[in-house]
Amino acid sequence: MSALRLHPDRFFPADAGTRSVARALFRRVETLPILSPHGHTDPRWFATDAPFEEATSLFLWPDHYVLRMLHSQGVTLEALGFQTAGADRRAAWKLFAANYHLFRGTPSRLWLDHVFATVFGFDERLGPATADDYYDRINTALKLGAFRPRALLTRFNIEKLATTEGALDNLADHETIAREWPGHVVTTYRPDDVTDPDKDRFAANVERFGATSWAGYLKAHQERRAVFRAHGATATDHGHPTAATANLSAAEAQALFDRLLRGKREAGDAELFRAQMLTEMAKMSCDDGMTMQIHPGSFRNHNAALFAKYGANVGADIPMRTDYVHALKPLLDVVGNRAGLTIILFTLDETNYARELAPLAGHYPCLKLGPAWWFHDSPEGMLRFRRQVTETAGFYNTVGFNDDTRAFFSIPARHDLARRIDASYLAELVTSHRLDEDEAHEVIVDLAYNLPKAAYKL
Amino acid sequence: MSALRLHPDRFFPADAGTRSVARALFRRVETLPILSPHGHTDPRWFATDAPFEEATSLFLWPDHYVLRMLHSQGVTLEALGFQTAGADRRAAWKLFAANYHLFRGTPSRLWLDHVFATVFGFDERLGPATADDYYDRINTALKLGAFRPRALLTRFNIEKLATTEGALDNLADHETIAREWPGHVVTTYRPDDVTDPDKDRFAANVERFGATSWAGYLKAHQERRAVFRAHGATATDHGHPTAATANLSAAEAQALFDRLLRGKREAGDAELFRAQMLTEMAKMSCDDGMTMQIHPGSFRNHNAALFAKYGANVGADIPMRTDYVHALKPLLDVVGNRAGLTIILFTLDETNYARELAPLAGHYPCLKLGPAWWFHDSPEGMLRFRRQVTETAGFYNTVGFNDDTRAFFSIPARHDLARRIDASYLAELVTSHRLDEDEAHEVIVDLAYNLPKAAYKL
Amino acid sequence: MSALRLHPDRFFPADAGTRSVARALFRRVETLPILSPHGHTDPRWFATDAPFEEATSLFLWPDHYVLRMLHSQGVTLEALGFQTAGADRRAAWKLFAANYHLFRGTPSRLWLDHVFATVFGFDERLGPATADDYYDRINTALKLGAFRPRALLTRFNIEKLATTEGALDNLADHETIAREWPGHVVTTYRPDDVTDPDKDRFAANVERFGATSWAGYLKAHQERRAVFRAHGATATDHGHPTAATANLSAAEAQALFDRLLRGKREAGDAELFRAQMLTEMAKMSCDDGMTMQIHPGSFRNHNAALFAKYGANVGADIPMRTDYVHALKPLLDVVGNRAGLTIILFTLDETNYARELAPLAGHYPCLKLGPAWWFHDSPEGMLRFRRQVTETAGFYNTVGFNDDTRAFFSIPARHDLARRIDASYLAELVTSHRLDEDEAHEVIVDLAYNLPKAAYKL
């Protein structure tokens, strides 16, 4: 058995002088409250405050990073008891533990170790020899009041946490939260189910949405956005295959809407509708002040057999090459120079950081850059983001960190990592005399707190 | 108020041993004369040697990097008095100073601080508290003889400076320079106005060029190139949207020329004409010895509203994905193996450094790689260039540094930065025993002086 | 004259603490036997065990990296005596030596210096002053028994070396090797000559292959694969322009086969056939257990004039942008989740490391990532590979190092470099507390020995 220890200097640069600057910068933000303006935790947790069930269903089954890696190495989802009634959860946990070495060098390992050490107090590494002890101690802890969702949110020092709900969600959990425990957890408007004609049940969704004409459809969005805002939402989110935008006339849009809903869909119509809806959402944001997030570039459910058997979110979403410079122009021609509008761009295609995204965000008033996302939410990924973005976009066209996670327990781990990487990057600038140390101390606070607060209007 | 200080070790690696090697390498080239073979300063400055007007019109309004960043953060060009008769220039300067923190981490900040410290002797940082003092002292200094263009060029230790003029330019300023103050400032042949059919007034330009047939058009180029050479030009420059080249027969070229000038343009004709002209220019370079530069990959004037209001060069040019391997083949099939021909390639798409550009330049005798360009003319950008290019193309298929600037005062700052980054990269090679120190001392001199001198025949 | 010395800490990070960790990690694998599961050495060397001829024909003429660089700097292949009967080999060697500075900063220089120092014992750098001495001493050494192929393979500590032969090769050399000197050298099945319709003599090759129908053609592959396996092959290799795969019905495949062989080829047929053949090869690998390697993305013989004069492999192959996420889907839909199948992906387009390849290999059981390849088989290239791949794919979806070389003498140099870079990367993880040191000591052995042994079933 090997020691599990979170080193106080973890993730800092090796050079002693730079490390010392990084340490001082990190100390400045270490205990700042966490703002989590984009994520996918389940609002029911906070509405009911029920205890979490047990270790395997909490840490293994819902984590697509973990499932992905285990599957890639021949550990089948069947063997892990995934989506299996009456599965042997302890056996699944032990199989996970037996393969924990697969995660060496990955952020999953860093997040998990942080949770195990700081939330549960483990001081030995997870592995075959410690699997049972881990399983038992986690399950025992989860029964305690201190491990209930609301208590943990407080313990995690989370000032504000945004979940994400579809346009058709009734927001019942957020009703309960607002009534019983207001102030910490808000929703986000994610209308993909009614804006993406390639979604299953798109036509039925639009019908439930109450829209029979293009004008009525837009009005339904305006109304739902208002309802979401009444439940604390300050932002919308759009997960499209590409960043394509369009600027159709009302007549063209009505015709497109009709084709899509009356079964006369033509090639390119779905993409064009999504594209038009990004522009529509941007225009509505000009009116109602909601911050807009665009998350393009994922080939969803690439593994056909796994999707057929288990559905989405089993780790088979693969990034694609993504264009922004042409794709966003129609939208930018409409709202690009609007003050007060904030559109946050994300990417899974890092080649865009320096080539397209930083120049765009470094020019257009409405554009800001979201942090390194998904596969790139990692030490190297975050450093690549800062190194490729900052020289053109500066710090003030970025919006701090998003944890983007459904893994509630890992939120502190992820923000700890992000703050340490930002401190490391800033320390490098200081040590190489590209930034004065007093300025770096201002910037680190902006990155950890002020920029997300402003960008998301928290 | 905070101190403004240029640290003698700025931009060097953090590791003490590596830094010491970098310092020694930099010392070798620190005082070498500056060769500036590609840039956009105004030849009128050197023709008239008139004093520069004042701070805002010198440092703020012409700098598209600065305008871009301020615009991106909601500081409008109106508020900056841009293109406004009777604008309050002091107020504009103070607005710039109040937003100076936006430039943290950007090369603009490094260049400006270098100018403020070394040219004007400031020892406090620009900001709200020092804005007036900066404004007054700069304006006072600009009235002194020592701050006139020619005196500064000497003070800056610039051995040779190339400006860039269009094919239709009468070169009157260069006439004056050649007559009154020869030896330092030369022109460059940039024929985009008559080679790019997408330019405004293309047909009128070609008419002014005196060309009514394809053969006559080529002859006009040959003649203008000769005139430019007589004014010191050793190079041509071509700013195309893509790197496409073509190799048409004379009959095909004549037909294309006719279509473009008689209003019968077909889809793809403009691109094809630009493509053909790169090959024609390369063939002429084989004859007259002019070095050829290709600068592709910028989506010009992306912000339609700003372009309509203010015209070009306000910071809305955005890089695009660029292909070289297929695009250059027609040209390379014609002149690729010609000894004595030098074609210098630039890119805004860094993904090409290791994938296409270094392998091409590391094979074809006529190809060399220009330095990290525009958005990538920065510490991280230059390091990425060296790290991704050197292992395949070596050092001797590169051509040293170009400042590519219209900001005359920043030329020493940019060359200082480039030399320090090259010293840093070489020091890393030495410390990791990938290059012997005596060789690094040869290479640093080659990069700073010998390679640009040879590539541009200065 | 300057000293030639291989520093014991070469390629390690500069920081003293990290370097010390790297040194300890490297020591763990320094003397492990070399596994070379993918390469292009000539089996005749080991079949005949004849002495190598002399220096120029051994080190200069066959090395496309060296030819490429010299050609790019105007040293013509003629001047180097390439493919010239009766060429003055000493003069060619001296020309190479006079231009040895061109290789500064390139891996060619590192490999060559390693060979010169460790195999031949030189302690002065190659250059004009030492050219004759190098030439004479190398030629003298090559006559010694200790410098014959089999003795060197033993001296190089090569446990297993795979060569690569075409589907039509009679494997006579491997017959001899198996009879006279079994155990070290095996073949690899590379069927491009009969799977790529764009190859010269494709139709004739297929005829020699004995196939007149699609079914017969597949059967011929199965039989040749069996013959190759009988000669030690454990892997196949496929060098296609793209990574395209297809999944045609038998009828569609038969029709395609007929069109290609009866001269009725349609646009896209060649690409479609190659695409289909990758899927067929993958299905055969499911049956016979051979590991499959896909090497896409090279624009072969880009320099038309040089190809016409000298044929292939003179350094004019240029990488192209490559897609994997769409290209591989048809194949993955068929075999993606098959346990026991191993498909190793390579790339010349590094933008895919983090964007497509690591997510694919980090999900699909059949996919593994080959090491940094060709132009990227270098210190920076290998580090980029690890930094961009590990966080998503981990270490265990990679397969250790391939030297991929026809330069037999450089095999130890290349593995030495790869092991040192892996040690350096792991040391960085340890120093920044992203990986525990005891785990790094396990991983370094896996990367150097266990992973290639398993992936290639050696």
Side-chain angles (χ1 to χ4, degrees):
Chain A
M1 277 173 294
S2 304
L4 171 62
R5 181 174 171 241
L6 300 186
H7 196 283
D9 283 340
R10 63 190 177 276
F11 319 140
F12 291 156
D15 172 71
T18 315
R19 180 166 285 200
S20 145
V21 175
R23 207 183 280 136
L25 287 165
F26 176 66
R27 211 172 291 135
R28 175 80 57 160
V29 296
E30 185 173 8
T31 60
L32 283 184
I34 288 175
L35 297 173
S36 175
H38 178 96
H40 302 282
T41 53
D42 188 339
R44 196 161 38 88
W45 297 336
F46 308 104
T48 66
D49 204 32
F52 292 101
E53 197 178 356
E54 54 79 61
T56 294
S57 59
L58 181 59
F59 292 118
L60 174 55
W61 291 338
D63 190 326
H64 57 83
Y65 291 89
V66 170
L67 293 182
R68 180 174 64 71
M69 179 64 86
L70 293 170
H71 178 70
S72 79
Q73 288 280 316
V75 182
T76 63
L77 299 187
E78 286 96 331
L80 293 167
F82 184 68
Q83 293 187 2
T84 308
D88 182 339
R89 296 173 178 212
R90 179 180 296 269
W93 182 265
K94 289 171 84 162
L95 188 54
F96 168 44
N99 285 285
Y100 201 55
H101 64 285
L102 299 178
F103 297 93
R104 289 171 179 164
T106 71
S108 295
R109 171 66 184 274
L110 303 178
W111 300 327
L112 287 163
D113 277 358
H114 189 279
V115 171
F116 295 152
T118 64
V119 183
F120 296 99
F122 288 104
D123 56 10
E124 285 171 0
R125 204 191 288 156
L126 179 62
T130 55
D132 274 314
D133 184 46
Y134 262 72
Y135 192 70
D136 292 331
R137 283 173 57 188
I138 288 171
N139 290 346
T140 302
L142 291 178
K143 296 193 174 74
L144 303 176
F147 286 78
R148 294 212 178 174
R150 295 181 187 173
L152 283 174
L153 187 134
T154 303
R155 174 177 169 188
F156 290 167
N157 196 20
I158 298 174
E159 182 177 314
K160 196 71 87 177
L161 178 76
T163 67
T164 307
E165 274 72 46
L168 300 169
D169 193 285
N170 65 9
L171 301 182
D173 290 320
H174 281 281
E175 292 278 7
T176 307
I177 292 168
R179 200 171 53 235
E180 292 188 8
W181 191 62
H184 302 294
V185 179
V186 299
T187 185
T188 301
Y189 186 61
R190 171 102 173 214
D192 300 354
D193 284 343
V194 294
T195 60
D196 182 351
D198 288 332
K199 291 273 179 190
D200 274 353
R201 294 181 296 274
F202 168 71
N205 290 339
V206 173
E207 197 182 325
R208 274 185 64 200
F209 204 49
T212 54
S213 69
W214 172 245
Y217 173 76
L218 294 182
K219 189 147 182 296
H221 275 291
Q222 285 160 337
E223 289 169 1
R224 287 308 291 162
R225 292 168 66 108
V227 171
F228 273 68
R229 284 200 306 287
H231 291 80
T234 64
T236 72
D237 184 33
H238 310 276
H240 287 196
T242 75
T245 65
N247 186 22
L248 303 176
S249 69
E252 292 168 325
Q254 174 72 57
L256 173 62
F257 181 84
D258 289 346
R259 286 200 302 278
L260 284 165
L261 290 167
R262 285 169 201 158
K264 303 277 196 182
R265 185 186 298 204
E266 296 171 9
D269 273 356
E271 176 77 348
L272 184 59
F273 191 77
R274 288 189 296 262
Q276 179 63 21
M277 286 314 299
L278 288 183
T279 306
E280 298 297 342
M281 290 290 114
K283 289 191 287 190
M284 290 185 198
S285 280
C286 290
D287 295 335
D288 65 19
M290 293 181 88
T291 291
M292 182 172 173
Q293 302 169 87
I294 305 179
H295 283 87
S298 177
F299 189 127
R300 302 276 171 179
N301 308 309
H302 193 273
N303 190 324
L306 238 57
F307 180 62
K309 186 160 181 188
Y310 297 109
N313 295 321
V314 293
D317 298 340
I318 311 290
M320 298 182 289
R321 200 154 58 209
T322 306
D323 161 76
Y324 293 85
V325 66
H326 301 98
L328 292 176
K329 185 151 170 54
L331 178 152
L332 292 169
D333 283 345
V334 180
V335 300
N337 298 302
R338 291 289 290 267
L341 172 64
T342 299
I343 301 175
I344 303 175
L345 302 176
F346 294 81
T347 198
L348 292 172
D349 180 355
E350 296 176 305
T351 68
N352 285 301
Y353 284 159
R355 186 182 58 217
E356 299 174 36
L357 290 175
L360 285 166
H363 171 74
Y364 281 100
C366 72
L367 296 181
K368 298 279 179 292
L369 300 186
W373 176 40
W374 197 336
F375 294 100
H376 309 311
D377 177 11
S378 60
E380 301 283 354
M382 291 177 187
L383 273 176
R384 284 197 293 271
F385 174 80
R386 289 283 175 218
R387 290 200 174 121
Q388 292 177 34
V389 154
T390 308
E391 294 184 325
T392 292
F395 292 106
Y396 295 95
N397 287 305
T398 66
V399 300
F401 181 63
N402 282 186
D403 53 69
D404 187 30
T405 192
R406 59 199 75 205
F408 176 51
F409 282 71
S410 76
I411 290 177
R414 291 171 197 243
H415 287 262
D416 173 80
L417 173 56
R419 291 172 182 188
R420 288 171 180 275
I421 296 296
D422 282 339
S424 299
Y425 174 67
L426 287 165
E428 286 177 10
L429 295 189
V430 169
T431 309
S432 59
H433 306 287
R434 289 186 273 164
L435 187 67
D436 290 332
E437 195 161 1
D438 67 308
E439 297 184 284
H441 277 263
E442 270 185 48
V443 172
I444 190 81
V445 176
D446 289 335
L447 298 181
Y449 192 82
N450 296 324
L451 286 171
K453 196 169 185 91
Y456 288 91
K457 307 187 177 181
L458 299 177
Chain B
M1 275 174 296
S2 304
L4 171 62
R5 181 174 171 240
L6 300 186
H7 195 285
D9 284 341
R10 62 191 179 275
F11 319 140
F12 291 157
D15 174 71
T18 315
R19 180 167 286 199
S20 146
V21 175
R23 206 184 281 137
L25 287 165
F26 177 66
R27 210 172 291 138
R28 175 81 57 160
V29 296
E30 185 173 7
T31 60
L32 283 184
I34 287 174
L35 297 173
S36 176
H38 177 95
H40 303 283
T41 53
D42 188 339
R44 196 162 36 88
W45 298 335
F46 308 104
T48 65
D49 203 32
F52 291 101
E53 196 178 358
E54 56 77 63
T56 295
S57 59
L58 182 58
F59 291 117
L60 174 55
W61 291 339
D63 190 326
H64 58 82
Y65 292 88
V66 170
L67 294 181
R68 180 175 65 71
M69 179 64 87
L70 292 170
H71 178 70
S72 80
Q73 287 281 315
V75 181
T76 63
L77 299 187
E78 285 96 328
L80 294 167
F82 185 69
Q83 292 185 5
T84 309
D88 182 341
R89 297 174 178 212
R90 179 181 296 269
W93 181 264
K94 289 171 84 163
L95 188 54
F96 168 44
N99 285 284
Y100 201 55
H101 65 284
L102 299 178
F103 297 93
R104 288 171 180 165
T106 72
S108 295
R109 171 67 184 274
L110 304 177
W111 299 328
L112 287 163
D113 277 358
H114 190 278
V115 171
F116 295 152
T118 64
V119 183
F120 296 99
F122 288 104
D123 56 10
E124 286 173 359
R125 203 190 289 157
L126 179 61
T130 55
D132 275 314
D133 184 47
Y134 262 72
Y135 192 69
D136 293 332
R137 283 173 58 187
I138 289 172
N139 290 347
T140 302
L142 292 179
K143 296 192 175 75
L144 303 175
F147 285 79
R148 294 211 177 177
R150 295 182 188 172
L152 283 174
L153 188 134
T154 302
R155 175 176 168 189
F156 290 166
N157 196 20
I158 298 174
E159 181 177 314
K160 196 70 88 176
L161 179 76
T163 67
T164 307
E165 275 71 48
L168 299 170
D169 193 286
N170 66 9
L171 301 182
D173 291 321
H174 281 281
E175 292 278 5
T176 308
I177 292 167
R179 199 170 53 236
E180 292 187 8
W181 191 64
H184 302 295
V185 178
V186 299
T187 184
T188 302
Y189 186 61
R190 171 101 173 214
D192 300 354
D193 284 343
V194 294
T195 60
D196 182 352
D198 287 332
K199 291 274 180 191
D200 274 354
R201 296 182 294 276
F202 168 71
N205 290 339
V206 173
E207 198 182 324
R208 276 184 62 201
F209 204 50
T212 54
S213 69
W214 173 244
Y217 173 77
L218 293 182
K219 189 149 184 294
H221 275 293
Q222 285 159 337
E223 289 169 2
R224 287 307 291 163
R225 292 169 65 107
V227 172
F228 272 67
R229 283 200 306 287
H231 290 78
T234 63
T236 72
D237 184 33
H238 309 276
H240 287 197
T242 74
T245 65
N247 186 23
L248 302 176
S249 69
E252 292 167 324
Q254 175 71 58
L256 173 63
F257 182 84
D258 290 345
R259 285 201 303 279
L260 284 165
L261 290 167
R262 285 168 202 159
K264 303 276 197 184
R265 185 186 298 204
E266 295 171 10
D269 273 356
E271 177 76 350
L272 184 59
F273 191 77
R274 288 189 296 263
Q276 180 62 22
M277 285 315 299
L278 288 184
T279 305
E280 297 297 343
M281 291 290 113
K283 288 190 288 189
M284 290 186 198
S285 280
C286 289
D287 295 335
D288 65 19
M290 294 181 88
T291 292
M292 181 173 174
Q293 302 169 87
I294 305 179
H295 283 87
S298 177
F299 189 127
R300 301 276 172 180
N301 308 309
H302 193 273
N303 190 325
L306 239 58
F307 180 63
K309 184 160 181 188
Y310 297 109
N313 295 323
V314 293
D317 297 339
I318 311 290
M320 297 182 289
R321 200 154 58 212
T322 306
D323 161 76
Y324 292 86
V325 67
H326 301 97
L328 292 176
K329 184 150 171 53
L331 178 152
L332 292 169
D333 283 345
V334 180
V335 299
N337 299 303
R338 292 288 290 264
L341 172 63
T342 299
I343 301 176
I344 303 175
L345 302 176
F346 295 80
T347 198
L348 293 172
D349 180 355
E350 295 175 304
T351 68
N352 286 301
Y353 283 159
R355 187 183 56 218
E356 299 174 35
L357 290 175
L360 285 166
H363 171 74
Y364 281 100
C366 72
L367 295 182
K368 297 279 179 291
L369 299 186
W373 175 40
W374 197 337
F375 294 100
H376 309 311
D377 176 12
S378 60
E380 300 283 354
M382 291 177 187
L383 273 176
R384 283 197 293 271
F385 174 80
R386 289 282 175 219
R387 289 201 175 119
Q388 292 176 34
V389 155
T390 308
E391 294 183 325
T392 292
F395 292 106
Y396 295 95
N397 286 305
T398 66
V399 300
F401 182 63
N402 281 186
D403 53 69
D404 187 30
T405 192
R406 59 199 75 204
F408 176 51
F409 281 72
S410 77
I411 290 176
R414 291 171 198 244
H415 287 261
D416 173 79
L417 173 56
R419 291 173 182 188
R420 287 172 180 275
I421 296 296
D422 281 339
S424 298
Y425 175 68
L426 287 165
E428 287 177 11
L429 295 189
V430 169
T431 309
S432 59
H433 308 287
R434 290 186 271 164
L435 187 68
D436 290 332
E437 194 161 2
D438 67 308
E439 298 184 283
H441 277 263
E442 271 185 48
V443 172
I444 190 81
V445 176
D446 290 335
L447 298 182
Y449 192 83
N450 296 325
L451 286 171
K453 195 167 185 94
Y456 287 91
K457 307 187 176 180
L458 300 177
Chain C
M1 275 173 293
S2 304
L4 171 62
R5 181 172 172 242
L6 300 187
H7 196 284
D9 283 341
R10 62 191 179 275
F11 320 139
F12 290 156
D15 173 71
T18 315
R19 181 166 284 199
S20 145
V21 175
R23 206 184 281 136
L25 286 165
F26 176 66
R27 209 171 294 136
R28 174 79 58 159
V29 296
E30 186 173 7
T31 59
L32 283 184
I34 288 175
L35 297 174
S36 176
H38 177 96
H40 303 282
T41 52
D42 188 338
R44 196 162 35 90
W45 297 336
F46 309 103
T48 65
D49 203 32
F52 292 101
E53 197 178 357
E54 55 79 62
T56 295
S57 59
L58 182 58
F59 292 118
L60 173 56
W61 292 338
D63 190 326
H64 57 84
Y65 292 89
V66 170
L67 294 182
R68 180 173 64 70
M69 179 64 87
L70 293 170
H71 178 71
S72 80
Q73 287 281 315
V75 182
T76 63
L77 299 187
E78 286 96 330
L80 294 167
F82 185 68
Q83 292 187 4
T84 308
D88 182 340
R89 296 172 177 213
R90 180 181 295 269
W93 181 264
K94 290 171 85 163
L95 188 54
F96 168 44
N99 285 284
Y100 201 55
H101 65 284
L102 299 178
F103 297 93
R104 289 171 179 166
T106 71
S108 294
R109 170 68 184 273
L110 304 178
W111 299 328
L112 288 163
D113 277 358
H114 189 280
V115 171
F116 296 153
T118 65
V119 184
F120 296 99
F122 289 104
D123 56 11
E124 285 172 0
R125 204 190 288 156
L126 180 60
T130 55
D132 274 315
D133 183 47
Y134 261 72
Y135 192 69
D136 293 332
R137 283 173 56 187
I138 288 172
N139 290 346
T140 301
L142 292 178
K143 297 192 175 74
L144 304 175
F147 287 77
R148 294 212 177 176
R150 294 181 188 174
L152 283 174
L153 188 132
T154 303
R155 174 176 169 189
F156 290 166
N157 196 20
I158 298 174
E159 181 177 315
K160 196 71 86 174
L161 178 76
T163 68
T164 308
E165 274 72 48
L168 299 169
D169 194 284
N170 66 9
L171 300 183
D173 291 319
H174 281 282
E175 292 278 6
T176 307
I177 292 168
R179 199 172 52 237
E180 291 188 8
W181 192 64
H184 302 294
V185 179
V186 299
T187 185
T188 303
Y189 187 61
R190 171 102 172 212
D192 300 355
D193 284 342
V194 294
T195 60
D196 182 352
D198 287 331
K199 291 274 180 190
D200 275 353
R201 294 181 294 276
F202 168 71
N205 289 340
V206 172
E207 197 181 325
R208 274 185 62 201
F209 204 48
T212 53
S213 69
W214 172 244
Y217 173 77
L218 294 182
K219 187 145 184 298
H221 275 292
Q222 285 159 337
E223 289 169 2
R224 287 307 292 163
R225 292 168 65 108
V227 171
F228 273 68
R229 283 199 308 286
H231 291 80
T234 64
T236 72
D237 184 33
H238 309 277
H240 287 196
T242 74
T245 64
N247 186 21
L248 302 176
S249 68
E252 291 168 324
Q254 174 71 58
L256 173 63
F257 182 84
D258 289 346
R259 285 200 303 279
L260 284 165
L261 290 167
R262 286 169 200 159
K264 303 276 195 184
R265 185 186 298 205
E266 296 170 10
D269 273 356
E271 176 77 348
L272 184 59
F273 192 77
R274 289 188 295 262
Q276 180 63 22
M277 285 315 299
L278 288 183
T279 306
E280 297 297 343
M281 290 291 114
K283 288 191 288 189
M284 290 186 199
S285 280
C286 290
D287 294 336
D288 65 19
M290 294 181 88
T291 292
M292 182 174 173
Q293 302 169 87
I294 305 179
H295 282 87
S298 178
F299 189 128
R300 301 277 170 179
N301 308 310
H302 193 274
N303 190 325
L306 237 58
F307 181 63
K309 186 160 182 189
Y310 296 109
N313 295 322
V314 293
D317 298 340
I318 311 290
M320 298 182 288
R321 200 154 59 210
T322 307
D323 162 76
Y324 292 85
V325 66
H326 302 98
L328 292 176
K329 186 151 170 50
L331 178 152
L332 292 169
D333 283 345
V334 179
V335 300
N337 299 303
R338 291 288 291 264
L341 172 62
T342 299
I343 301 176
I344 303 175
L345 302 175
F346 294 80
T347 199
L348 293 172
D349 179 355
E350 295 175 305
T351 68
N352 285 301
Y353 284 158
R355 188 182 57 217
E356 298 175 35
L357 290 175
L360 285 166
H363 171 73
Y364 281 101
C366 71
L367 296 182
K368 297 279 180 292
L369 300 186
W373 176 40
W374 198 337
F375 294 101
H376 310 312
D377 176 11
S378 60
E380 300 283 354
M382 290 177 187
L383 273 177
R384 284 197 294 270
F385 174 80
R386 289 283 175 218
R387 288 200 174 120
Q388 292 176 35
V389 155
T390 309
E391 295 185 325
T392 293
F395 292 106
Y396 296 93
N397 286 306
T398 66
V399 300
F401 181 63
N402 282 184
D403 54 69
D404 187 29
T405 192
R406 61 197 76 204
F408 176 51
F409 281 71
S410 77
I411 290 177
R414 293 171 196 243
H415 287 260
D416 172 80
L417 173 56
R419 291 173 183 188
R420 287 172 180 275
I421 296 295
D422 281 340
S424 299
Y425 174 68
L426 287 165
E428 287 177 12
L429 295 189
V430 169
T431 310
S432 59
H433 306 287
R434 289 186 272 164
L435 187 68
D436 290 332
E437 195 161 0
D438 67 309
E439 297 183 284
H441 277 263
E442 270 185 50
V443 172
I444 191 80
V445 177
D446 289 335
L447 298 181
Y449 191 82
N450 296 325
L451 286 171
K453 195 168 186 93
Y456 288 91
K457 306 186 177 182
L458 299 176

